[in-house]
Amino acid sequence: MKKTLLYLVALLFMAGSAFGQERSVSGKITSDDAPEGLPGVNILLKGTQIGVISDANGEYKINVPSDGGTLVFTFIGYETQEVNIGTRSVISISMVSDVTQLSEVVVVGYGTQNMEALTGSIGVMDAADLEQVPMPSFEQMLQGNVAGLQSVSPSGQPGANIQIRIRGIGSMSASSEPLYVIDGIPVVAGDITGLNVTANTLAGLNPNDIEQIVVLKDASSTAIYGSRGANGVILITTKSGKSGKPRIEAKSQFGFNNYATEPLRALNSKEYMDLYIEGYVNRGDTQQEAFDRFIANFPDMEFDFTNNVPITDTNWMEEITRTGQNQSHDISVSGGTDNLNYFTSGSYFLQESPVIGSYLERYSSRLKIGATVSDRVKIENNLYVSGLEQAGMSNASFWANPIYNAILLAPTIPVKDAQGRFYGDHKNYFPMGGNNPVGSLSGDDDRSLKQYKLTDNFSIGVEIMPGLTARTQWNIDVVNINEIYFRNARYGDGRNVGGIGRDMRTTNINWNGANTLTYDKSFNNDHSITALIGYEAQKVTQSRVYAQAREYGNPELTRLDNAALPYTSSSNGTGYTFVSTLSRVTYDYKGRYFGKVSFRRDGSSRFGADVKYGNFWAVGAGWRVGDENFLSGVSFLDELKLTASYGVTGNAQGIGNFAAKGLTSYGFDYDGQPGALGTQIANPNLTWEQQTAYDIGLEFGLFNRVSGNIDYFQRGASEQILDVPISRTTGYTELTQNFGSMVNKGLELTMNFDVYNANDFSAAIGFNATFLQNEITKLPEEFIDGTKIRKEGNDFQTYFMYDYVGIDPTTGLPLWYKDDTRAETTSDINEATQFDVGKTATPNTFGGINANLNYKGISLSANFTYSFGNYVYYTEGWVTMGDGRFTPRNQLATALDRWQQPGDVASFPLFTWGAPAGANARPSTKYLYDGSFMRLRNLRLSYNLPTSITQKVGFSNVMVYAMIINPWTWTKDEDLFLDPEAGVNGLINSPVPALRTTSFGINIGL
Amino acid sequence: MKRITYKIAIVFLAFTAFSCGDDFLDVKPEQSVLTTDFPSSLQDYNAALIGLYDQLTDSDHYGRYFLLVPDIMGNDVKQNSQANRGLEFAEYRGPSTHFIPTNMWTEIYRTVGGANTVINGSDANIPATVQTEYEQLLGEAYLIRAMCYFDLVRAFAQPYTFTVDGSHAGVPIITTFDPAVEPSRESVANVYAQVISDANESLNYMTENSETTRLTIDAAHALLAKVYMFMEDWDNAESHATSAINGGHSMTDQASYVSSWQSGEVADAIFELRQRDDDNNGSDALGRMYIVEGYGDYLPSKDWVDLLPADDLRRTWLKDDLNLAGDWAPYRMVKYPSQAGADNIPVFRLAEMYLIRAEARAKKAAPDEAGAQADVDVTRLRASASATATTATGQALIDEIILERRRELAFEGHGIFDINRLKQDMVRTECTSITCTETYPNSYFILPIPQAEINANPNIVQNPDYGT
């Protein structure tokens, strides 16, 4: 069956070699505001895929059949015009601007569609919003700009992975990330590193190369992606050349990076000494004993015995902090002739973190060439190569995380030793293995990666007969990652083994081929139909080589060859495949009524033996009510359109490649011999998660000034893949099963106002808001997952904790509610219970606000992003501002507000080393904060130099600008001293805080 | 133009023709085999056994916590100021959500599951020529299962003699794989019966008796001696200890006793788990919980140090550390000195067999005190040149045997197990902890059933005083 289809497509190519007679039409397109010529206008021969774009002078030339036809002229912001060619060979027109016009051609997956004909819900971001934003990856720029899309980054580490949720969390334990499709390839996204902690494969893509990002949200839009459409789809289209003379654009930017919020402050030496002594006195020491203990504890501390204060006073946080540099340079050339168009670019990007030794650097180049081989055959090749370097990664509550150990290392430990080396002797008297974050980040250690990415798409399109186009596309996407993880021999993790070097190479190959057949047909001017059928196959393989060595001879030479002891080496491989057939029919009646049906059948190697194939489908309808006669008298109504869609999609992302199989794995070695052990229980019924979603949308334009969308959506996720906890006496902890359901419902609202618009001055403001509700609707047994409880009727991210009341002023011990009635309190945590505290990590509302002011060539724009109603949990609070459990680690300055004597009203309990009260170790609301925040994401001031000036120096346009990322942040909870941007799960575990980037740039067009 | 298009079409015909056969969706794992096919050959059985040994070295079993936790709950070990990982259990307030009981339970049952796979596996593909090798492997699997249940029932249930008939709650017994099982706890008596049955079964199959890093006939006798000691079945304890003593293993002599430990070898080993330079728990190793180059969280207690005569060879396990201050000074414990975690792990030692037999001979219905004195002197006289032969009798002899157990077997995971079995109070005389005395009987002498098990298995009942 599958093969038959392939042959059919191939045969159709051959059929395409029959051609009709043809001639060409040319002309010039102008408009009121561009009398010299309007570039970039789409000119399409109606009912065909034949189209060109006007060049820099507004001129175009298109091949048409000898018997003429109709040319359709479209351009964003202008009314579409249709002109009957007749026998003319020159057609010049003037485009009329149309502020309410919503028509824009967008990529919708395996094709394009007019925006006005959409039956579902999508979000669009264009090049202008993506270029030269001083962030490494494009997903970060989506935040606050697309209704329903939540983009969060739990770390400000350059190149950190970004989490995207479209219309809420789609899966309890599989992936909730959308599918990313770049120029037609479903790509491998997320973090695929093995040694490092947070890296983002997509940071390898140069955002300046992106023409448009389309976010597919509802079932009608995503069903064409079948078993991978459930969490939404993000389609990225890269830039193409347009016919006309070469356009050269050069963009350059410099800036610097700091933290968006105040860095955390740990105690200084004097404060630390006082707390140290207090911690021992509370344990039973006399003041003198505790003091002697302090002096004895830090042999290399300089101390002023006259005034009884330490002289050594290391501010570890300050020592690892700097002002980082930011740079972005990009040059592109594009253009084309009738038969050939090209786009090529080269770029360099650097982001240095405010943490010393930590940065991301990327260089890339792209070449895209389209050739019209004959008037019915088009070939395109799009080649992209990039290199990415990242260094200084840090993470979570590991001693090796510099952000974390800079808090906990005593300030009485010096940074350098008597020999001028970074100090490491505290390995003998202070816990945490003698980590020295300053030395570690200054080159004593190495934690870095290099990622090389190579992507190529090759396609051939053949117009077999008018309206019928066959297209075949072959893609390969190769990601190669080299990771180094070196720990020096003197201190830290490598101290006892002569230094540790680890080297890992990962190669990820994504091969994808798709053949489609598209038929466009209009009948009687009123009916138009587009039908698509296709076949797609994909294979992704990943292979890894890893080696570790110890006993290094020279601290400068960190490669494994320089070590005396080869320690371990290994290699492994994994992969998955998808085979799919797909189809879609869209129907348009009078440009007023729209219908769409899509169907896809997916098979995947990931699915269990009994459920290899799944069917996914959706229907959608649209009605431009505003065009009906009965509303023709309503003069203020520019546009009114209703859409509705319903469909079933799947989520096969995040299922392990072999999750359905019962596995016995090797690697359980003993005494140099290979051993094997069962590692996974078989489940032949394991398959994709199912999602049934509907969407009702209303699109409107009023008074030529106001436009907007309202969408109500509901996503019902069922057959959730869960690692269901089973009795551990089975030898396993969980069984991966399809069970459980969850629903996300909500409202998306987008509004744009043209506040004022005159020749020289314009002001516009827009906002979007998403109101989201998540509920687990079916879960046979509730279960506790860390700080959360998963329970029917609850939000998925509901916190389950001990509820902290405060400090008992009489005893200095923390008080907890005994149970969820909150009637009684106790200072013995063993008498208290953990319960659903009624707070979740899911925001009630999130979105963004955009404002623009333009005066002559000057424009000022501000983007805000916000999130309300979500709670964040500081997972390291019990260590960094605890009750003394972690002897004798330093504490945050906030911990100074502790109870010292009866009557004290304090935030923290009696401080005793070893913490005999022992209450801090459990998840409690003490470290739970209201995470509601609003952040000015991007403030930008730019100036377009007048043409009169630029032309004197030979440039067609010059723009200069200044921009600040994250200049201002408001948090609702005054006690929240951490950066409020947490991951989707609300947990903050000593990440690099979000960055504030201040940059200045210039864009030059030639 | 027409010809170009035609050629392209031909090329694409070729492209598409060789894509995607029916086996395109059949991707095979590269690091695993399907469990349905495993184990079948002798090679598979060998790999399965190696996997089980690897499991025994897991840091949640003998690799670290099963030897550490009983000691930090006892009185031979004290916590350093910074101790963190075992803090709750050393201070008798460990919650059922704590990772130590959770992982210990999980990993030991995982080993049981692996042993079941071997025991229940088919021998259809085992040729007669390798039947002996196969049976040795099968015997080792039985013995590993016996050891696992013995460890589970000691860690998670009160000792055998806690009730007169051992009818109090033990642990679930699983002998076949069923992913849906939600077992309840068997009585302690039943679990002991299972241990004895598995150990006896292992003796029916095993033929090897010289290895120290693999299980042997002597190891089965060692286990049985220990099991009967816990049951206070002194005749059987004595007879199995004797079998182990007279088997294929030998005592380390006085001259090489110190260097044996220093080189990472277990002295008097009947069964030690090998930890090679390149295959060990690394920073998760037991020794690194004690040594300053590791976490240095635990120190030898003054109570224990005071048990040793000045010239006792076991004082070589102590090392001065000038950085230790106050109550924590002056010693580190270096019985397992490897910085890389490459010390072998003691599981069964001949020294223990002598001490079990000494206790059995002193306590059995018709005591053999001369035999007991001779047995206890084996380690006493080896450790100290100035020591003289024991002359104690009656309770004094028993006390001396118990003290010698503490001296010789310290830091090998006997602490709270011995205290609890002997129905003693846990007393830390030179106490640095907030918990200095815990009296017998005591709910906290055993670990809580992990909350994760209780959440997933409605039939399991928590130990008293650990909540519900």
Side-chain angles (χ1 to χ4, degrees), chain B residues 127-316:
Chain B
T129 51
V130 293
Q131 191 64 25
T132 313
E133 286 95 322
Y134 165 72
E135 290 194 356
Q136 171 66 27
L137 295 173
L138 190 59
E140 291 174 40
Y142 272 110
L143 188 52
I144 286 172
R145 188 165 79 181
M147 289 162 65
C148 286
Y149 278 119
F150 184 50
D151 291 345
L152 285 166
V153 79
R154 284 187 297 159
F156 294 96
Q158 291 290 358
Y160 187 86
T161 56
F162 190 75
T163 53
V164 281
D165 53 357
S167 61
H168 55 290
V171 295
I173 297 174
I174 304 292
T175 53
T176 52
F177 176 66
D178 170 9
V181 73
E182 291 179 342
S184 48
R185 297 173 68 171
E186 294 282 344
S187 71
V188 168
N190 285 351
V191 179
Y192 271 74
Q194 178 72 36
V195 173
I196 291 166
S197 148
D198 278 346
N200 284 329
E201 196 72 6
S202 79
L203 285 168
N204 292 336
Y205 291 112
M206 286 196 292
T207 43
E208 289 290 333
N209 205 20
S210 56
E211 292 278 331
T212 62
T213 57
R214 293 286 293 250
L215 287 164
T216 54
I217 292 167
D218 284 353
H221 287 300
L223 174 68
L224 283 164
K226 222 167 152 171
V227 168
Y228 285 118
M229 173 181 75
F230 272 79
M231 294 170 74
E232 299 182 7
D233 178 341
W234 301 115
D235 293 328
N236 270 313
E238 182 186 5
S239 100
H240 283 288
T242 301
S243 299
I245 289 165
N246 297 337
H249 296 84
S250 54
M251 287 290 281
T252 303
D253 62 23
Q254 190 174 36
S256 44
Y257 184 72
V258 173
S259 61
S260 172
W261 291 107
Q262 281 172 350
S263 64
E265 304 283 331
V266 169
D268 322 323
I270 296 172
F271 178 52
E272 60 185 325
L273 285 160
R274 173 71 59 85
Q275 295 286 274
R276 298 171 17 140
D277 281 348
D278 60 350
D279 180 22
N280 63 56
N281 284 314
S283 59
D284 282 348
L286 173 65
R288 288 176 51 98
M289 295 302 288
Y290 291 100
I291 61 175
V292 66
E293 297 86 353
Y295 293 103
D297 279 3
Y298 295 96
L299 305 167
S301 72
K302 189 159 183 303
D303 294 1
W304 183 78
V305 173
D306 290 347
L307 294 177
L308 300 177
D311 67 342
D312 197 299
L313 290 181
R314 292 165 299 209
R315 278 192 175 262
T316 55

Side-chain angles (χ1 to χ4, degrees), chain A residues 373 474 496 669 727-728 885, chain B residues 1 12 54 88 293 453:
Chain A
V373 185
W474 301 86
N496 297 319
D669 306 336
S727 169
R728 291 168 181 233
R885 178 193 165 104
Chain B
M1 279 303 190
F12 266 79
D54 186 54
E88 281 81 0
E293 297 86 353
E453 178 67 29

